[in-house]
Amino acid sequence: MPKPRTQRVAASFEQPSATGRWLRGLHFSAFSLVMMGAVVLAVLILAPSLQGYLAQRQQIADQQKAVQELSAQVDALKEQRARWNDPSYIRAQARDRLYYVMPGETSYLVIDDRPPAAKGDTTPVSSKLQKTRTDWVGSLFGSLMGAGLTDATPAQLGSTPAPTPTPTPAPSK
């Protein structure tokens, strides 16, 4: 008995995208694989050396900055040494720091002989909190409306009266 024949049906595939067509178009030869391997090997070999080089450059930059700071400090110390070589500077420092005087001069040292200041009263002004009871929103609205809607000049308006407090009932206990 003959075997039943399988029926073949044409498969329908979606059209590949542009990226898919590009990837299918790539063909690697042995030479390209060897060259890619050589590039990867070069990166693996050179990466530690490059990292060491960059670390050394950073250390050099830090050391140069330290040298600049120290040279500025040396310059400041040279200026200070030059000042101390000046006799008038030494004389001024002796007067200011050690209270020395030249022969024939009289030195007066004034010490604060005032009595100590009286201590301020540290008791609280009030033991209860006080709250201002004014209608500030109404006052603000009235001021804005009055300023925006009036035809009077500032001289005619004169001074503005103080807002009057709104009476509120006292809280019961």
Side-chain angles (χ1 to χ4, degrees):
M1 173 165 204
K3 288 186 177 180
R5 214 171 190 187
T6 55
Q7 186 177 10
R8 295 189 183 204
V9 178
S12 64
F13 294 108
E14 295 179 14
Q15 290 293 330
S17 65
T19 308
R21 278 181 275 162
W22 179 79
L23 286 174
R24 286 191 186 126
L26 288 179
H27 297 286
F28 291 108
S29 65
F31 178 75
S32 63
L33 290 175
V34 169
M35 290 309 296
M36 281 193 284
V39 168
V40 168
L41 186 63
V43 168
L44 290 175
I45 291 172
L46 293 178
S49 300
L50 183 63
Q51 182 181 9
Y53 173 75
L54 294 175
Q56 286 178 350
R57 295 302 303 166
Q58 182 63 39
Q59 287 176 348
I60 289 171
D62 292 342
Q63 293 298 323
Q64 286 175 341
K65 182 180 177 185
V67 166
Q68 288 175 348
E69 290 173 358
L70 288 174
S71 64
Q73 192 176 21
V74 166
D75 292 340
L77 290 172
K78 283 182 181 178
E79 290 175 9
Q80 188 176 6
R81 186 182 73 186
R83 280 188 299 223
W84 281 103
N85 286 335
D86 184 17
S88 61
Y89 182 77
I90 293 173
R91 210 174 287 125
Q93 292 300 314
R95 285 177 184 266
D96 291 342
R97 294 184 183 185
L98 304 174
Y99 304 112
Y100 283 6
V101 292
M102 295 299 289
E105 293 180 346
T106 304
S107 175
Y108 295 101
L109 184 59
V110 178
I111 299 175
D112 191 12
D113 59 348
R114 294 179 289 170
K119 293 196 176 211
D121 188 17
T122 59
T123 59
V125 176
S126 174
S127 61
K128 295 181 182 178
L129 293 176
Q130 296 179 357
K131 188 173 184 180
T132 306
R133 301 180 194 274
T134 59
D135 182 20
W136 65 271
V137 175
S139 297
L140 178 66
F141 182 73
S143 175
L144 289 174
M145 295 306 288
L149 299 176
T150 186
D151 292 330
T153 63
Q156 292 171 340
L157 291 176
S159 64
T160 57
T164 58
T166 306
T168 56
S172 61
K173 289 188 180 182

